[in-house]
């Protein structure tokens, strides 16, 4: 479909439709491959069920490659119940080329890796500003893929601790706890607008760093978006965001 991810939704209860079903199979595909988890496509799928089909179930279940995921409406937000992924320290010399290709000369505070999702977390020094992160050029896809074969890393998260001094605040002046950009050319994504699966990793790291369970985050890609995050005691994370349906259509396939 030539966008970051496309979600494919299938009814699991034969007697029920999209209007009243509670259980669905959900799969996600980038332009190149199927992926094990995609947050914003899950949020979009739930939003279509809630907004377009007027599904009134309090909770909707999705059977996925990452197990059963749950969504619920929370006012204007859709809340997703996702797995929480930890990170481990990553030696810079082992990933130096891909890191340099991604962020150029921006100063690094720490590098960590989640092996399950193959997501690399590059935390910038705290004195870096939001403007510097947002003005960072989108890395060249060919250069990133030449720098690493995708065996260990399939996505790079460039993240920065938020504060008023570095400009990491929303339009009301509320401070973001952290802000991020995400690049994953190994799965066909030059830059992802907003990435739920990345925040399932980021939430674990920043919750420990900031010693707080409730987090307010911004993915500051050109399209961007805000996320409300709750790190739970049961090893999962609630990630909430808003969704707007901007286009409707019908796809006809010749089988």
């Amino acid at each position: 479909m030539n966008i970051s991810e496309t979600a494919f939704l299938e009814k699991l209860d034969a007697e029920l439709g999209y209007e009243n079903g509670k259980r669905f199979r959900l799969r996600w595909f980038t332009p190149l491959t199927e992926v094990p988890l995609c947050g914003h496509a899950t949020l979009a799928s739930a939003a279509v069920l809630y907004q377009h089909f007027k599904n009134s179930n309090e909770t909707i279940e999705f059977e996925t490659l990452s197990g059963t995921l749950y969504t619920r409406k929370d006012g204007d937000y859709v809340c997703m119940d996702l797995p929480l992924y930890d990170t481990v320290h990553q030696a810079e010399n082992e990933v130096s080329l891909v890191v340099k290709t991604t962020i150029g000369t921006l100063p690094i505070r720490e590098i960590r890796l989640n092996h399950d999702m193959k997501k690399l977390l590059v935390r910038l020094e705290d004195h870096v500003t939001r403007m510097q992160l947002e003005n960072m050029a989108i890395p060249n896809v060919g250069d990133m893929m030449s720098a690493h074969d995708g065996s260990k890393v399939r996505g790079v998260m460039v993240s920065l601790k938020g504060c008023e001094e570095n400009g990491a605040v929303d339009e009301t002046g509320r401070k973001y706890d952290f802000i991020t950009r995400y690049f994953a050319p190994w799965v066909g994504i030059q830059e992802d607008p907003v990435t739920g699966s990345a925040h399932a990793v980021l939430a674990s790291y920043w919750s420990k760093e900031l010693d707080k369970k409730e987090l307010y985050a911004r993915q500051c890609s050109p399209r961007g978006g805000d996320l409300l995050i709750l790190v739970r005691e049961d090893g999962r994370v609630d990630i909430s965001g808003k969704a707007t349906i901007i286009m409707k259509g019908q796809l006809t396939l010749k089988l």
Side-chain angles (χ1 to χ4, degrees):
M1 301 294 287
N2 200 32
I3 54 177
S4 296
E5 282 94 2
T6 301
F8 291 86
L9 200 61
E10 177 186 358
K11 294 180 292 183
L12 289 179
D13 297 319
E15 307 82 17
L16 302 176
Y18 292 102
E19 299 84 358
N20 53 5
K22 186 176 181 179
R23 296 174 59 250
F24 300 88
R25 178 173 290 110
L26 181 59
R27 299 174 69 182
W28 312 278
F29 293 83
T30 75
L32 292 182
T33 188
E34 184 172 12
V35 293
L37 180 63
C38 179
H40 68 266
T42 303
L43 185 144
S45 300
V48 168
L49 293 171
Y50 291 134
Q51 297 176 23
H52 178 69
F53 288 104
K54 308 301 181 186
N55 191 304
S56 60
N57 282 294
E58 183 175 341
T59 301
I60 294 177
E61 302 175 13
F62 297 106
E63 299 300 330
T64 78
L65 291 177
S66 292
T68 304
L69 308 182
Y70 304 89
T71 64
R72 67 180 187 274
K73 287 190 69 175
D74 185 9
D76 293 334
Y77 288 81
V78 174
C79 179
M80 301 177 290
D81 173 349
L82 302 179
L84 185 67
Y85 294 99
D86 282 329
T87 60
V88 296
H89 173 75
Q90 171 60 54
E92 184 176 349
N93 65 297
E94 296 176 0
V95 292
S96 58
L97 186 55
V98 70
V99 169
K100 183 177 180 180
T101 302
T102 305
I103 69 169
T105 59
L106 288 176
I108 300 166
R109 184 181 182 93
E110 187 175 11
I111 300 176
R112 300 186 68 85
L113 177 69
N114 172 262
H115 290 285
D116 297 311
M117 302 295 288
K118 296 186 177 181
K119 294 187 188 299
L120 188 71
L121 168 56
V122 181
R123 178 181 173 180
L124 301 177
E125 287 285 4
D126 294 346
H127 62 77
V128 175
T129 66
R130 175 181 179 174
M131 183 176 293
Q132 286 177 284
L133 179 58
E134 291 183 338
N135 288 343
M136 186 181 76
I138 297 176
N140 180 275
V141 168
D143 291 344
M144 287 190 74
M145 297 184 72
S146 296
H148 181 68
D149 62 6
S151 59
K152 186 174 184 176
V153 175
R154 302 191 79 189
V156 180
M157 306 170 291
V158 184
S159 198
L160 174 66
K161 180 181 176 181
C163 65
E164 294 182 5
E165 290 75 19
N166 68 11
V169 296
D170 67 14
E171 63 276 5
T172 70
R174 180 183 176 187
K175 178 180 70 70
Y176 295 111
D177 290 301
F178 64 93
I179 59 176
T180 307
R181 291 178 69 182
Y182 179 66
F183 311 94
W186 300 275
V187 295
I189 301 170
Q190 185 174 25
E191 179 171 11
D192 206 16
V194 187
T195 317
S197 61
H199 283 82
V201 178
L202 290 161
S204 175
Y205 173 79
W206 283 111
S207 176
K208 293 172 183 175
E209 286 293 301
L210 301 176
D211 192 25
K212 58 191 301 188
K213 299 295 185 182
E214 295 185 33
L215 300 163
Y216 183 39
R218 171 84 182 171
Q219 190 155 333
C220 50
S221 65
R223 282 169 55 187
D226 296 344
L227 304 95
L228 303 177
I229 299 169
L230 173 64
V231 176
R232 296 171 11 195
E233 297 296 337
D234 61 355
R236 297 183 69 84
V237 59
D238 289 343
I239 300 179
S240 301
K242 295 181 179 180
T244 302
I245 297 174
I246 60 171
M247 183 172 62
K248 299 177 183 179
Q250 187 170 10
L251 184 64
T252 301
L253 300 176
K254 291 185 178 181
L255 303 178

